């Protein structure tokens, strides 16, 4: 890590205090890392909200339902962060469940490696990639839904006004410009007004 760069903030979560302490001490030997731990009485999501870490490192001998549920709650919240999981036993079913809960990096290690930075950075990179892909998918779905809405509004306008598609599109465009809104919003409003008229 280059000089002047802030340390990577790592939040260590482990239900076993002794193991968590040992891992934290190993990490603290690296001055490029700022290591924090989750107090036994604090929920993981609350600790993340308090400390805003760059990455969460979960170390456990055997992942149980409570631990995975806490990870799932974090990954589905506004406090979502990259999460790296350390386990001491390979388990294909556990790995699949872990990824489903939001784990970015699944690592089987009997003892923490001396240099965990590559693993932590891999978790952050994978998280960024997954998040970007998810956002791109969400945007594509939004665009598709808007196009469907506009096409539906145009068909309705064409039927009501005996207009062609170009005329319907121009009407929606003019209306959007006049009201400083997106065409999709105008289309949605138009369809709602037509539905209201049909019910009255």
């Amino acid at each position: 890590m280059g000089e002047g760069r802030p340390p990577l903030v790592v939040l260590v979560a482990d239900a076993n205090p002794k193991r968590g302490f040992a891992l934290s001490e190993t990490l603290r030997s690296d001055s490029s890392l700022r290591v924090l731990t989750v107090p036994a009485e604090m929920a993981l999501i609350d600790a993340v909200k308090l400390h805003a870490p760059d990455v969460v490192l979960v170390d456990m001998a055997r992942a149980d339902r409570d631990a995975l549920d806490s990870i799932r709650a974090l990954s589905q919240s506004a406090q979502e962060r990259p999460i790296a999981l350390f386990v001491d036993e390979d388990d294909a079913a556990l790995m699949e469940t872990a990824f489903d809960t939001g784990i970015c990096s699944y690592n089987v290690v009997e003892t923490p490696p001396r240099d965990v930075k590559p693993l932590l950075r891999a978790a952050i990179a994978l998280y960024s990639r997954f998040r970007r892909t998810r956002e791109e998918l969400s945007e594509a779905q939004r665009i598709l839904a808007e196009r469907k809405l506009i096409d539906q509004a145009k068909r309705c306008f064409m039927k009501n006004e005996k207009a062609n598609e170009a005329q319907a599109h121009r009407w929606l465009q003019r209306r959007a410009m006049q009201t400083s809104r997106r065409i999709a919003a105008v289309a949605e409003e138009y369809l709602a007004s037509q539905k209201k008229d049909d019910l009255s």
Side-chain angles (χ1 to χ4, degrees):
M1 186 174 291
E3 289 186 14
R5 287 184 67 179
L8 188 69
V9 181
V10 183
L11 179 65
V12 176
D14 193 324
N16 184 317
K18 287 185 178 180
R19 191 173 58 234
F21 177 79
L23 175 59
S24 298
E25 287 303 297
T26 299
L27 297 176
R28 287 191 177 104
S29 65
D30 187 332
S31 61
S32 68
L33 302 177
R34 180 176 170 228
V35 184
L36 305 168
T37 57
V38 179
E41 70 280 0
M42 182 178 286
L44 176 60
I45 192 170
D46 293 332
V48 171
K49 186 175 182 179
L50 176 65
H51 298 297
D54 296 306
V55 61
V56 177
L57 202 167
V58 180
D59 185 30
M60 56 183 68
R62 188 72 183 170
D64 59 22
R65 182 174 295 277
D66 288 343
L68 293 176
D69 283 347
S70 67
I71 293 169
R72 181 180 287 105
L74 173 61
S75 65
Q76 294 176 349
S77 75
Q79 307 304 322
E80 182 185 23
R81 289 294 190 282
I83 305 171
L85 176 64
F86 279 4
V87 294
D88 60 7
E89 183 180 334
D90 192 13
D91 185 326
L94 170 61
M95 179 171 63
E96 186 174 339
T97 301
F99 283 125
D100 285 342
T101 62
I103 294 291
C104 296
S105 177
Y106 178 93
N107 309 281
V108 181
V109 289
E110 290 185 2
T111 57
R114 283 190 170 186
D115 187 3
V116 299
K117 280 186 295 183
L119 299 177
L120 298 178
R121 296 215 175 278
I124 293 171
L126 285 170
Y127 170 80
S128 298
R129 182 176 179 182
F130 291 155
R131 187 167 188 173
R132 185 166 61 250
T133 300
R134 185 176 61 196
E135 289 172 352
E136 289 172 353
L137 177 60
S138 178
E139 178 65 9
Q141 291 173 333
R142 183 191 65 78
I143 292 172
L144 188 62
E146 286 191 353
R147 285 179 180 171
K148 185 176 180 181
L149 198 64
I150 292 168
D151 287 343
Q152 189 178 351
K154 286 195 292 187
R155 287 195 298 271
C156 185
F157 184 89
M158 289 161 64
K159 180 181 177 181
N160 292 339
E161 306 297 330
K162 303 297 186 288
N164 58 36
E165 185 176 358
Q167 291 170 325
H169 189 72
R170 281 198 297 271
W171 183 85
L172 288 171
Q173 279 186 320
R174 283 199 302 271
R175 184 67 179 158
M177 290 178 65
Q178 290 168 354
T179 57
S180 300
R181 288 181 298 167
R182 298 169 62 88
I183 294 180
V186 173
E188 185 176 21
E189 181 185 66
Y190 179 73
L191 289 170
S193 68
Q194 294 305 305
K195 186 175 181 180
K196 185 176 180 181
D197 290 344
D198 290 343
L199 293 175
S200 59

